[in-house]
Amino acid sequence: MDSVIATVIEVRDLDLGYDDYAVMRNLSFSVNKGDIFIVMGVNGCGKSTLLKSLIGLRAPTRGKVLYSGKSFWDEDEAGQQNIMRRFGVLYQGGALWSSLTVGENVALPLQLYTKLSCQQIQEVVALKLSLVGLEGYGDFFPSGISGGMRKRASLARAIALDPDIIFFDEPSSGLDPINARKLDDLILELRDGLGATVVVVTHELASIFAVGNNSVFLDVESKTMIATGDPKSLLANSKDPRVIQFLTRGPDSKELKR
Amino acid sequence: MLSEKLTFDYSIPKTLLIKLSGDWQISAGLLSVNEVTSQLTTHPDIAQINFSVSQGLKWDSGLIAFLLKLIRECGQKNIHVAREGLPQEAQKLLALALKVDEKDIPPKDARESFLERSGEKALQISESLAAGLDFLGDIAVSLGRLITGKSYFRWDDFMLIVQRCGVDTLLLVSLISLLVGMILAFVGSIQLKMFGAQIFISDIVGIAMVRVLSAVMTGIIMSGRIGASFAAELGMMQTNEEIDALKTLGVSPVEFLVIPRVLALVIMMPVLTIYADLMGILGGFVISAGMLHLNPVEYLNHTQHAVKLSYVWVGLIHSLVFGVIVAVSGCLRGIKCERSAAGVGIATTSAVVTGITGIVIATALITFICQILGV
C-alpha cells in the first residue's frame, strides 16, 4: 500500500445538460483511491446524468473528467475504451443481459478481455458468484431469480475483471432493508478485498452513512454542488439548511421559515 | 341550482361575502367560476372576498377545484381572497395546491402550430434516413471487423437466431406460399379457360412465385414475425440498460447484437424463399391437377420449361435484399428505442412498417432494374 493518497477520479468544471437545458453546472471534486464516494441529492437533481458522464455514456457540455490524470472525454475511442476497461458498473435495475445465464453474464467480460481458457473462466466465474453469495446460480437466467439476486449477480459481473473503480447506480433501490444492508456490507468488503475505489449514486440515508467516507451533494435549485466531504462530518458541521434537511430527512426549511 | 350552492352578500362595503351551501362534490358536477366573476364585473369596487359555510355543506375536491380557479382569477384582478371562512380541511388542501414548486421546468412539449409540426416531421424523415445510413455504415464496419477476426462473435446466439428465423417460421411460410400458389392458379384459370389455354396456369404460378412473389411473401412474414421481435427484444434491452452495460464493457452493441441477427436473417431468407417457391408451385399443382383437371405430368413439364434459372436468381436477389431490410429496420428501431413500455411498442410497430414499406420499394426497384437489363 502506498502512503501517498492518489486521486483516481478528478472532475473539473463539469457542466451537464440536454440540448439547451442545463442540469448541473460547475462540478469540481476528486475521488481518492479507496474512497467510497457518494453522489447524493434529491430526485431529478442530475445524479444519474453525472454518473453517465463518469462512465462514458454521455459527454458533458463542458469540463473534464480525469482518470489518473487522463481526460476521458478528450481521448480517442481506443483511449476511452482503455479507461472504461478499468470500470465496473452496477446499473440500477441490474441490466444483466437477459439472453445469457447468470454465469455467462459474468463470463462475458472475461472472454472478451482475458486469455483464460474456458475451464479457467468457469473457475473465476464460480469465485465471483460465491463472492456475492450466488454460488450455484450460474445456470439460471436473469428472469428466473429475484430482484435482489439479480443485483448481486450484476455486481459479480461488475467485478469480473477486478476493476479499479466500481460505480453503483442507486444500489439499494428496490431492495428490502435486510438485502439493502447486505449489499452495503458487500460494497465495503469488496472495496477492502479488491482495493477498489467505489462511487455510489444514492439518496438512501442509511446507505450513505453506512458506507460513504466522501461525498458530493448536488442541489437541484442552484444546479450545482453545494457541499462535499465525509457525509458524517457534513451532518455534524454543515451550516447549509438544504444539506441538513436532506441528511436528517427533516422538514422543508422554507416551510419552517413561513 | 346556483341559488342552492352560492349566495352573494354585499352588506360590508367593498367586500363580497360568498355563502357556500348544498352539494359541492365532484359527482354533483362542477360550478363555473363565471358565476362569481360576473358578480365582480357588476361590482367593480370589490377588493376582498370572504366566505361563509352553511351547516349542510357537502364537499370534496370539487369545491377545491372551484376555489382554486377563483383564487387564481382574483389574483389577476388584485382581489384578496380570505380563506378563513372555509372549512379547516379545505383551507389545508388549498394551501397545498397553491404551494409553488420552485423548480424550473425543462422547456419541453410546448404547443406547436400545424406548420411547425409538419416542418418537424419533414426534418425527422431526413434525420431518420441519415440515422439509417449511419447504422448501415456501423454494420458494414462491424462486418469488416468480424471478417478480419477482430470482433467477438457468439456462435450460440447466432445459431439460436438462425433457428428462430428458419425452423420456427417454416410452418407459416409453407401455409402462406401454398395458398398464394393456389390463389394464383384459380385467378389465372378464369381468363385462360376462355381460350382453352389452362395449361399456362403452370407458367403463371411458376414464374410469379419464383421471380418475386415467394420472396415478397416470405419477406412480409419475416418482417411481421422476426423484424418485430428484433425490435421488441433490443428495445427492451435498451430500456433495461443492457445496451449501456455492453457499451461500458467496451463492446459495440452493433457487433454483439445486430450482426448475428442480420447475418442469420440474410442466410435464412434465401433458403426460405426457395422453399416457398416449391410450396407455391405445389399449391398451383394441387389446384390444377385436382380441381381444374389438367394433366399432372404435363403441368410439371410446363413449369420446368417456363421457369428459367435466371428467374431463380432474381428471386434470390430479392430475398437477400429483403433479409437486409427486415433485419436492419428491426435492429435499428430497437436500438433507437425510447426507454419506456410505449417506446418498445412504437419501435416494434415502426420496425414492421419500415420493413414492409422497404420491401415494396425494393421490389419495385429490382423489377425496374431487371426490366432494363432484360433479365
Side-chain angles (χ1 to χ4, degrees):
Chain A
M1 286 277 155
D2 38 10
S3 53
V4 189
I5 298 169
T7 304
V8 180
I9 311 172
E10 194 185 344
V11 170
R12 260 190 224 159
D13 308 322
L14 204 67
D15 284 7
L16 307 166
Y18 298 87
D19 299 328
D20 298 335
Y21 180 68
V23 175
M24 272 286 137
R25 295 189 205 97
N26 288 322
L27 301 182
S28 294
F29 56 87
S30 51
V31 181
N32 296 327
K33 190 170 166 38
D35 268 0
I36 295 186
F37 189 89
I38 311 277
V39 177
M40 57 187 167
V42 298
N43 294 126
C45 71
K47 301 188 294 281
S48 292
T49 314
L50 171 60
L51 182 76
K52 281 199 169 128
S53 283
L54 294 180
I55 61 180
L57 290 176
R58 170 178 280 278
T61 43
R62 190 182 68 99
K64 288 180 191 307
V65 180
L66 302 155
Y67 285 99
S68 308
K70 275 189 199 159
S71 172
F72 182 89
W73 292 104
D74 294 327
E75 292 277 311
D76 59 1
E77 209 181 317
Q80 288 188 347
Q81 294 219 344
N82 275 334
I83 299 176
M84 281 160 88
R85 213 157 293 172
R86 296 169 49 207
F87 298 167
V89 185
L90 177 70
Y91 289 87
Q92 194 170 352
L96 291 169
W97 298 303
S98 45
S99 60
L100 311 183
T101 63
V102 168
E104 286 170 337
N105 262 286
V106 184
L108 187 67
L110 297 163
Q111 287 166 349
L112 286 168
Y113 296 120
T114 64
K115 294 196 169 63
L116 300 178
S117 70
C118 274
Q119 184 59 43
Q120 291 165 321
I121 284 179
Q122 286 314 315
E123 282 166 27
V124 180
V125 168
L127 165 73
K128 303 286 169 172
L129 283 178
S130 62
L131 283 179
V132 298
L134 279 180
E135 52 207 314
Y137 281 95
D139 292 332
F140 282 63
F141 277 96
S143 53
I145 56 177
S146 74
M149 287 160 103
R150 268 204 286 277
K151 273 227 161 126
R152 276 183 283 149
S154 180
L155 181 54
R157 179 181 73 185
I159 58 169
L161 292 167
D162 290 358
D164 299 336
I165 310 163
I166 314 175
F167 294 93
F168 292 79
D169 190 5
E170 311 259 351
S172 35
S173 79
L175 295 185
D176 59 77
I178 294 172
N179 274 304
R181 173 62 203 262
K182 277 186 190 162
L183 195 65
D184 285 347
D185 291 344
L186 203 55
I187 292 175
L188 287 169
E189 281 162 19
L190 288 175
R191 189 269 311 262
D192 296 340
L194 299 171
T197 306
V198 176
V199 177
V200 186
V201 169
T202 187
H203 50 230
E204 202 71 34
L205 286 179
S207 257
I208 291 173
F209 292 119
V211 298
N213 70 339
N214 198 354
S215 71
V216 59
F217 186 92
L218 306 184
D219 179 49
V220 68
E221 281 164 46
S222 55
K223 295 191 170 191
T224 189
M225 47 188 277
I226 53 171
T228 179
D230 186 340
K232 291 176 210 80
S233 61
L234 277 184
L235 176 63
N237 305 323
S238 178
K239 299 275 185 289
D240 194 313
R242 292 164 292 185
V243 179
I244 297 299
Q245 187 197 352
F246 181 93
L247 290 177
T248 55
R249 208 170 180 268
D252 196 331
S253 51
K254 280 185 238 78
E255 291 287 293
L256 290 179
K257 270 184 235 158
R258 275 181 201 165
Chain B
M1 180 161 162
L2 174 63
S3 57
E4 283 172 25
K5 293 189 175 185
L6 281 174
T7 16
F8 302 109
D9 185 341
Y10 295 98
S11 50
I12 310 168
K14 290 192 174 182
T15 303
L16 169 61
L17 176 65
I18 301 177
K19 290 179 181 162
L20 302 168
S21 52
D23 187 359
W24 277 87
Q25 296 177 97
I26 285 182
S27 51
L30 288 182
L31 212 60
S32 163
V33 183
N34 292 343
E35 310 283 0
V36 181
T37 45
S38 61
Q39 298 288 324
L40 294 175
T41 35
T42 49
H43 298 84
D45 59 329
I46 297 288
Q48 174 158 350
I49 295 179
N50 290 345
F51 293 98
S52 76
V53 176
S54 80
Q55 270 290 309
L57 176 75
K58 283 195 267 180
W59 65 275
D60 61 6
S61 39
L63 175 66
I64 307 296
F66 172 83
L67 292 173
L68 191 63
K69 205 149 173 229
L70 180 66
I71 291 170
R72 293 236 163 94
E73 296 233 335
C74 290
Q76 285 170 8
K77 292 178 181 162
N78 279 326
I79 298 172
H80 176 68
V81 180
R83 300 180 225 158
E84 287 76 19
L86 293 168
Q88 281 280 316
E89 297 87 346
Q91 288 185 37
K92 275 187 185 162
L93 278 179
L94 273 177
L96 201 61
L98 286 167
K99 198 164 85 176
V100 190
D101 222 354
E102 45 290 281
K103 235 193 287 180
D104 69 330
I105 301 156
K108 253 189 180 174
D109 293 343
R111 271 263 175 222
E112 288 169 334
S113 73
F114 172 74
L115 269 177
E116 269 179 307
R117 272 181 288 156
S118 23
E120 211 152 82
K121 273 278 172 218
L123 287 176
Q124 268 176 16
I125 293 173
S126 73
E127 265 170 31
S128 74
L129 268 178
L133 284 177
D134 197 33
F135 193 61
L136 268 181
D138 278 351
I139 293 177
V141 170
S142 304
L143 264 182
R145 284 172 53 87
L146 178 68
I147 292 166
T148 50
K150 281 183 195 154
S151 77
Y152 176 79
F153 192 75
R154 284 180 60 88
W155 283 99
D156 299 1
D157 280 2
F158 173 70
M159 292 316 284
L160 262 177
I161 301 167
V162 165
Q163 185 193 337
R164 253 172 55 195
C165 297
V167 184
D168 295 354
T169 49
L170 207 57
L171 206 64
L172 199 58
V173 170
S174 314
L175 180 73
I176 302 264
S177 38
L178 195 74
L179 289 178
V180 169
M182 288 178 167
I183 294 165
L184 278 178
F186 270 126
V187 174
S189 78
I190 298 171
Q191 280 295 310
L192 292 172
K193 210 157 43 177
M194 292 199 279
F195 305 103
Q198 276 147 299
I199 192 62
F200 285 102
I201 290 171
S202 61
D203 294 45
I204 292 180
V205 173
I207 294 173
M209 288 307 293
V210 170
R211 260 192 92 113
V212 53
L213 271 186
S214 330
V216 170
M217 295 319 288
T218 314
I220 289 175
I221 294 169
M222 290 313 224
S223 180
R225 234 191 114 110
I226 306 297
S229 82
F230 285 176
E233 217 176 355
L234 298 192
M236 267 321 278
M237 294 183 77
Q238 183 67 267
T239 312
N240 288 342
E241 298 180 303
E242 288 176 45
I243 289 181
D244 280 353
L246 279 177
K247 282 186 195 156
T248 38
L249 190 60
V251 180
S252 141
V254 173
E255 272 176 29
F256 193 77
L257 300 168
V258 177
I259 291 291
R261 285 171 171 75
V262 173
L263 278 185
L265 202 53
V266 166
I267 289 171
M268 287 322 282
M269 265 299 286
V271 179
L272 283 171
T273 300
I274 296 269
Y275 173 75
D277 288 347
L278 296 174
M279 291 310 283
I281 290 171
L282 178 69
F285 175 78
V286 169
I287 294 299
S288 306
M291 297 181 71
L292 304 171
H293 309 298
L294 294 177
N295 181 338
V297 179
E298 202 183 346
Y299 184 94
L300 290 179
N301 272 337
H302 243 270
T303 306
Q304 203 177 352
H305 282 292
V307 179
K308 294 183 201 154
L309 190 61
S310 63
Y311 297 171
V312 179
W313 289 122
V314 172
L316 288 182
I317 288 171
H318 275 103
S319 71
L320 273 179
V321 173
F322 297 166
V324 174
I325 290 173
V326 170
V328 170
S329 59
C331 294
L332 173 67
R333 298 296 173 201
I335 290 223
K336 303 260 180 247
C337 171
E338 244 181 66
R339 294 187 173 184
S340 66
V344 176
I346 293 168
T348 314
T349 317
S350 100
V352 176
V353 173
T354 318
I356 294 180
T357 316
I359 286 174
V360 175
I361 293 172
T363 313
L365 277 179
I366 297 172
T367 312
F368 187 66
I369 292 168
C370 287
Q371 198 72 32
I372 290 173
L373 295 177
V375 186

